[in-house]
Structures are given as structure tokens and as C-alpha cells.
Amino acid sequence: MTQTVQDSAKKRVMIKTFGCQMNAYDSQRMTEIFESLGYESTAEMGQADVILLNTCHIREKAAEKVYSELGRIKLIQDARRASGRDTIIGVAGCVAQAEGGEIFKRAKMVDMVFGPQTYHRLPQFLAEVKRRREADITGPGRGVLDVDFPEEYKFDNLPKAQAAGVSAFVSIQEGCDKFCHFCVVPYTRGAEYSRTVAEVLDETKTLLDQGVKEITLLGQNVNAYHGATKDGEWSLGRLCYALAELEGLERIRYTTSHPRDVDQDLINAHRDLPQLMPYLHLPIQSGSDRMLKAMNRRHTAAEYMVLIEAFRKARPDMAFSSDFIVGYPGETDEDHQASLQLIRDVHYAQAYSFKYSPRPGTPAANLECKLPEEVKDQRLYEIQALLKEQQIAFNESCVGKTMPVLFEKPGRHQGQVVGRSPYLQAVHFFGDLEQIGQIHDVKIQGATGNSLGGEVVG
Ligand code: SAH
Ligand code: SF4
Ligand code: F3S
């Protein structure tokens, strides 16, 4: 009897996402696959019949988080089992790709491990887990593993994209051929490839039909995009011109770009297209040419500054963000000072900075690093303090201005709405909840380190 009740109840899935926006996009697509199989999403792990971690391998801390999370999940699985409920546990994403079957050894209750290029096969993985359960297979043969870079095309095998709000991601490029010496992405995501222009336009139109107003084009190296059309390949810049023609698309963003792949088309697109937001995440990693060379970034700090100036010339209200790595093997105080100087020269609107983390399998993992931890901590502190100062200064420079704000969702207080400025700042104001999904002018009246406040004026 209990069995029947349980079978007739809706199955639930919980996907927990770590890492970058590409993982967020992939999790959304996996949610859609689960929906096509009759699952509904839950935010409560204890309610989930399938728990899936979509993981990140970029730094050691990110990868280790997965195992502490699995420890917690084990307790949930045990508790559910005690009340007669089964839980299937999966590890997807970049840790899955990098560690493969090792995951089953460290976390024995994991049922399936699969990489970022195989998730369209999820229905097969689930069926196989169930088959092995029924056949009572235990021990090493129990887990389902797939870390292929398959021949068949992932995107041909996914359900149509579904919008989850007014802003959506569209993956246009995946993988990376740059092989920066510190980075796992070329190994976890594989070789660089671009989706065709027709596919990108099609997915964007599907999202626009569902009320989406803003899309963020995603790729590990998004401006290396070279999408096929029947008349040859298109660059990211050219794609943006075509997207800007689509009815209803009000904002276009793209991330993450590599300085080496910025071309004139892209700069011109910023000059010509009001839909293309004047905000660019352009990671440099270090302001020292010596470090850039050691990292295999294949550009100099001066070349980067030329790009910044070119974007600013094309679009004077352009603002920038970046990523920095401190404490890379061999980094001297002079190199560190060069990073601080570059930050002073650019004036970022915001930026991320990380302590270098050696990653297995990357060329830098074998380099000896003699820097004491305290020195790395001190350098990280200095970079973060300067970046924070610039972020506050940027936010304060917005006070008194009127900005177009995309109304995104209700705020915490009654009558409050939260929206996004062109620079991705969260903007809080009192407004009409009926206007969610629309863009209106907001006069900015206050700024904190992380957000803006204002009043709707148009
Ligand atoms: N494709 C992007 C970024 C990918 S990873 C680019 O080319 O810049 C996101 C950020 O993580 C990187 O920009 C870098 O700053 C940081 N990162 C990557 N590997 C790292 C490592 N081993 N240690 C510390 N930070 C790292
Ligand atoms: Fe990693 Fe470099 Fe590729 Fe960015 S460009 S994903 S940092 S290898
Ligand atoms: Fe992490 Fe993989 Fe993204 S390593 S940053 S989830 S591409």
C-alpha cells in the first residue's frame, strides 16, 4: 500500500549548482530534462528523490566543497531510507569530469557521475541506476559513469529552453583552447566549439516568446565564438548585430571574454547597438607581463589597456570588471605592484580576485611556489581593498544619475522592487510589481558597496 502511494506521488529532483554561469545554464537545462521525465523541482533536499550536484573544479576549495556536501547528503539519504524512501545521488559538472570514477571511491553512496558534455544522456543514466538497483548490484560496478566527449551533439538532444525569469542565459560557445597554465577548464570542458548562429537565434526567440527581455550569451571563451551559417562563420560581434534585430530583446550581455579574442566587430557592436550593455567582464589575471607570460595568457598589460581604451572610445559610458590571481608561482612584489597599478589605471566597476590554487593536471601544478602563505594573504588583501574602493567609488558615481533599470523581482519589503542597472548593479526602489519584466528610468539616490537605491521617474 505504501508503495502505491509513493509511486503515484510526483517524483522530485533537487539540483545544487556550484561554479560559473555555464553551470547555472546547464543546471537549468538538466531541470528541463527532469521535467520531461515527470519530475518537479524542490529546494528541499530531504524531499528529493534525486539529488544532483553540478560541480566546479576551478580551485581546490570549490572541488572540496562537493565532498563536504556529499557528507551531508549521505545523512539525508540514510534518514530517507529509514522511512522507506530511496534517493538517487548524482555528481555532474567539472569535478565529475576531472575525477571520474574516483568519486565513487571517496563517496560510496554516489550513484552516477557524468561530465558537462554528457548530460543530455541523463534519462539513460537514471534508467541504468534503477536497473542496477533492481539487479541488486553493489560494490564497484554499482555506479554509472560517463565522462565522454561524445560524438552526438548535446544540444540536439535537449528539450527546448524554458525561461525562469526576465533574464536568461544562452550558451553559445563551450570549452577552451587557450590552456592558461593554471586552469582546468580546457580539461573539464574540452575543446572549444561554437553553436551555429541559427541555433542561437532559435533558442533566443524561444526565450523571448516566454517574456525574456535580457539574454547573457555564455561561453568559457565567449568572444572566440565563430558560429557557422550557410554563408561562413560569424564572430560574436556579428551575432550581436543579428540578435539586436530580434523583436522584444532589450538587453544583450556576454561572458567570459578573453583579451586575445576581442576584435573590431565587437568594439563596433558596442558603439552601434544600444541593446548591448556597456559593461564588460574582461579578465586579465595579472598586471605584470612576466606573470602573464608565465601564465600563458598570450597578451601583455599594455595590449589589454589598448582594448580598454578602444571600448571606452566606442562607448564612453563603458565600465569593466575582471579577475585577478595573486600568488602565482614566481610572483614578486614588483609583479604584485604592477597588478595594483593596472587596477588604478583601469578603474574597475567591480572585479574578482583569487589566491592561486594549484590544480592537478595543469602545467602550473608542477611549479614550485616558495611564497609564504602570509605574503599571498597580504597581496590578496591589498588587491581586494583596492578593488572594493573602486567598486564603492563606481557605485557612488551613479548617485544623481537616471538609469534604465530592468525590473526583475519583488524586494524584501512590501512594495519594493529589485532591478538591474546596465552595469549589473542591483537597484532597490518602491515600484509597481506589475511592471516586473519592464525597463523604466530610475533616479539613483543612494549607493552602498553592493547595490543602489532610487526612485522610479519614467
Ligand atoms: N574563461 C575565463 C575564466 C575562467 S575561470 C578567462 O579566460 O578568464 C574564472 C576565473 O577563475 C579565472 O579568470 C581566474 O581568475 C580564476 N582561476 C582559474 N584557475 C585558477 C586557479 N588555479 N587558482 C586560482 N584562480 C583560478
Ligand atoms: Fe581557463 Fe584561460 Fe581558458 Fe579562461 S582562457 S577558461 S582562464 S584556460
Ligand atoms: Fe568551474 Fe567548470 Fe565553470 S571548473 S568555473 S564550473 S567551467
Side-chain angles (χ1 to χ4, degrees):
M1 184 63 195
T2 330
Q3 194 61 35
T4 333
V5 170
Q6 206 179 313
D7 283 346
S8 64
K10 193 116 180 158
K11 291 174 291 180
R12 296 195 179 89
V13 59
M14 148 128 202
I15 304 183
K16 184 156 181 179
T17 310
F18 302 83
C20 63
Q21 285 140 322
M22 186 67 87
N23 262 14
Y25 174 86
D26 290 345
S27 289
Q28 171 67 24
R29 309 310 308 273
M30 288 193 277
T31 303
E32 289 154 15
I33 298 177
F34 276 106
E35 280 166 5
S36 74
L37 297 172
Y39 284 78
E40 65 184 31
S41 293
T42 173
E44 274 223 35
M45 257 185 203
Q47 295 299 319
D49 302 287
V50 178
I51 302 176
L52 190 57
L53 302 182
N54 194 9
T55 62
C56 174
H57 200 245
I58 202 78
R59 284 167 292 275
E60 191 182 356
K61 243 193 228 156
E64 282 306 309
K65 248 190 232 163
V66 174
Y67 290 100
S68 50
E69 192 67 39
L70 285 172
R72 268 194 295 277
I73 291 172
K74 171 89 175 71
L75 300 178
I76 291 171
Q77 188 187 38
D78 289 346
R80 281 174 54 93
R81 186 175 293 133
S83 62
R85 292 176 300 170
D86 185 28
T87 319
I88 293 176
I89 298 171
V91 178
C94 291
V95 175
Q97 189 64 43
E99 299 188 4
E102 287 301 306
I103 294 173
F104 296 126
K105 293 188 193 150
R106 268 186 79 178
K108 294 201 170 51
M109 81 298 185
V110 172
D111 297 293
M112 48 186 189
V113 169
F114 55 94
Q117 304 307 343
T118 66
Y119 65 77
H120 56 292
R121 295 174 174 167
L122 240 171
Q124 287 128 270
F125 302 154
L126 284 169
E128 185 56 22
V129 168
K130 286 180 187 154
R131 191 190 69 77
R132 293 186 195 182
R133 283 266 208 287
E134 274 155 27
D136 225 3
I137 298 173
T138 52
R142 199 183 63 95
V144 174
L145 174 69
D146 194 341
V147 287
D148 264 8
F149 290 104
E151 285 288 305
E152 86 266 12
Y153 187 50
K154 177 170 75 183
F155 292 101
D156 281 345
N157 291 280
L158 294 172
K160 272 206 176 282
Q162 275 172 39
V166 295
S167 179
F169 294 131
V170 175
S171 168
I172 66 165
Q173 178 279 338
E174 245 192 276
C176 182
D177 292 343
K178 292 281 188 299
F179 291 93
C180 299
H181 283 172
F182 50 80
C183 183
V184 292
V185 171
Y187 312 97
T188 61
R189 292 277 169 171
E192 187 193 301
Y193 74 89
S194 297
R195 295 178 75 190
T196 66
V197 168
E199 272 176 78
V200 173
L201 293 177
D202 195 47
E203 187 165 319
T204 306
K205 282 183 208 152
T206 305
L207 292 163
L208 293 176
D209 287 344
Q210 298 171 64
V212 163
K213 296 289 163 34
E214 170 180 87
I215 60 158
T216 303
L217 307 172
L218 293 182
Q220 269 87 30
N221 217 175
V222 74
N223 59 335
Y225 179 77
H226 50 94
T229 73
K230 54 182 182 340
D231 310 314
E233 289 185 341
W234 283 18
S235 66
L236 174 62
R238 180 117 192 243
L239 176 70
C240 287
Y241 281 95
L243 286 166
E245 302 272 303
L246 297 180
E247 185 69 36
L249 182 54
E250 307 214 23
R251 288 181 165 189
I252 305 169
R253 304 179 186 276
Y254 58 92
T255 198
T256 299
S257 299
H258 192 288
R260 283 269 300 201
D261 295 319
V262 173
D263 62 7
Q264 197 56 44
D265 268 1
L266 190 59
I267 295 171
N268 291 347
H270 277 278
R271 179 194 64 200
D272 297 338
L273 304 175
Q275 294 94 330
L276 196 52
M277 289 293 98
Y279 184 56
L280 177 62
H281 182 56
L282 193 62
I284 183 165
Q285 317 299 351
S286 168
S288 151
D289 288 345
R290 219 174 60 81
M291 283 296 104
L292 290 172
K293 193 163 193 311
M295 291 171 173
N296 195 32
R297 289 290 290 183
R298 292 181 285 173
H299 61 80
T300 63
E303 284 163 350
Y304 181 87
M305 288 308 297
V306 168
L307 296 177
I308 298 280
E309 290 316 316
F311 277 115
R312 284 199 165 128
K313 194 155 168 255
R315 181 101 204 221
D317 59 349
M318 193 88 181
F320 298 90
S321 105
S322 185
D323 293 337
F324 290 88
I325 293 180
V326 304
Y328 190 73
E331 187 189 68
T332 62
D333 192 50
E334 204 181 315
D335 298 319
H336 171 59
Q337 293 304 328
S339 290
L340 291 169
Q341 189 54 49
L342 179 121
I343 296 170
R344 285 188 206 103
D345 293 342
V346 176
H347 292 286
Y348 287 104
Q350 76 108 54
Y352 303 94
S353 47
F354 312 99
K355 212 176 353 171
Y356 168 66
S357 168
R359 307 305 294 127
T362 60
N366 304 321
L367 299 176
E368 203 188 338
C369 184
K370 296 201 195 83
L371 270 182
E373 258 342 271
E374 312 87 79
V375 174
K376 291 189 211 164
D377 288 339
Q378 176 62 24
R379 287 182 188 167
L380 185 65
Y381 172 79
E382 288 173 17
I383 292 226
Q384 290 188 334
L386 179 58
L387 289 171
K388 188 79 206 171
E389 203 179 286
Q390 293 195 342
Q391 185 174 340
I392 294 171
F394 181 75
N395 287 351
E396 282 176 350
S397 76
C398 299
V399 175
K401 289 187 183 154
T402 297
M403 287 182 170
V405 170
L406 174 59
F407 290 20
E408 277 192 356
K409 55 182 185 202
R412 246 182 297 154
H413 305 290
Q414 176 122 38
Q416 204 185 36
V417 181
V418 190
R420 292 270 164 197
S421 78
Y423 304 105
L424 274 183
Q425 296 145 301
V427 187
H428 301 267
F429 49 89
F430 287 95
D432 184 353
L433 293 180
E434 296 286 309
Q435 291 180 333
I436 285 178
Q438 300 174 12
I439 295 176
H440 293 280
D441 281 344
V442 173
K443 180 152 193 216
I444 305 303
Q445 293 163 324
T448 67
N450 294 319
S451 65
L452 304 176
E455 180 188 32
V456 184
V457 292

